[in-house]
Amino acid sequence: MKIANGTVVELDYSLHLGDGKIVDQSEGEPLSYIHGEGHIVPGLEQALGGLEVGAKKQVVVAPADGYGEHDAAGVQEVAREAFPADFQPQEGMQLVAESPDGQPVQFVVKQVGLQTVTVDFNHPLAGKTLHFDVTVRGVRQATDEEKEHGHVHGPGGHDHG
Ligand code: ZN
């Protein structure tokens, strides 16, 4: 069976940003997702269409088809007091704040000054060219229930217990 919209794909992958240093990879068990639902970055999803079990592929994804271009407006200076008094922000930390409407917002600490902290609300991989090495471990038709729920059931997927 070939990977197409509505198939459940099991994927082993590793990701580097051009220098060969792995920044993310499937660990222990493959990633599983429903193809065509936008669960993985568009450039990778597109490149996987038509592959079969056992296929190995190197996929290079431009920022626009990955986590988006880096938006300068996402880099902001916030007052040091915006952080808890007993917390010492450090360059490179990935933190989560709460937006005014209660949604979690991830950001990265770029620079820590005496009065202000420069933070970046862009995705940590925004503006990066993504280099994936993938191996297709499984392809099967998604069940009606999985399509309805929009996620994979069973090993590596959602467990409703
Ligand atoms: Zn479900």
Side-chain angles (χ1 to χ4, degrees):
M1 180 178 287
K2 287 181 160 62
I3 295 177
N5 288 351
T7 57
V8 171
V9 180
E10 289 181 44
L11 202 64
D12 271 322
Y13 74 96
S14 64
L15 168 63
H16 71 87
L17 304 178
D19 59 2
K21 195 175 143 229
I22 305 293
V23 296
D24 189 21
Q25 62 188 322
S26 51
E27 282 166 19
E29 60 185 23
L31 167 80
S32 52
Y33 74 96
I34 302 177
H35 195 79
E37 302 279 316
H39 293 163
I40 61 174
V41 296
L44 179 59
E45 188 166 58
Q46 239 166 47
L48 294 174
L51 297 184
E52 295 180 89
V53 175
K56 289 177 192 287
K57 194 167 184 179
Q58 292 189 315
V59 183
V60 179
V61 177
D65 296 319
Y67 291 95
E69 302 289 352
H70 188 269
D71 179 4
V75 180
Q76 294 172 20
E77 272 196 7
V78 298
R80 177 69 183 77
E81 293 88 70
F83 295 87
D86 60 350
F87 179 76
Q88 180 59 54
Q90 280 168 14
E91 203 180 308
M93 275 183 170
Q94 292 188 25
L95 301 172
V96 180
E98 201 170 272
S99 72
D101 59 355
Q103 295 298 309
V105 182
Q106 291 192 41
F107 63 94
V108 178
V109 176
K110 300 301 275 188
Q111 210 180 353
V112 181
L114 286 177
Q115 311 290 333
T116 60
V117 178
T118 306
V119 299
D120 188 348
F121 288 99
N122 285 283
H123 189 283
L125 295 176
K128 311 281 191 197
T129 297
L130 311 172
H131 298 250
F132 289 99
D133 282 296
V134 301
T135 304
V136 180
R137 297 295 183 196
V139 185
R140 64 171 170 82
Q141 210 58 244
T143 65
D144 289 343
E145 197 184 39
E146 285 172 325
K147 284 182 191 164
E148 205 177 293
H149 289 197
H151 57 227
V152 176
H153 292 163
H158 216 82
D159 181 7
H160 292 292

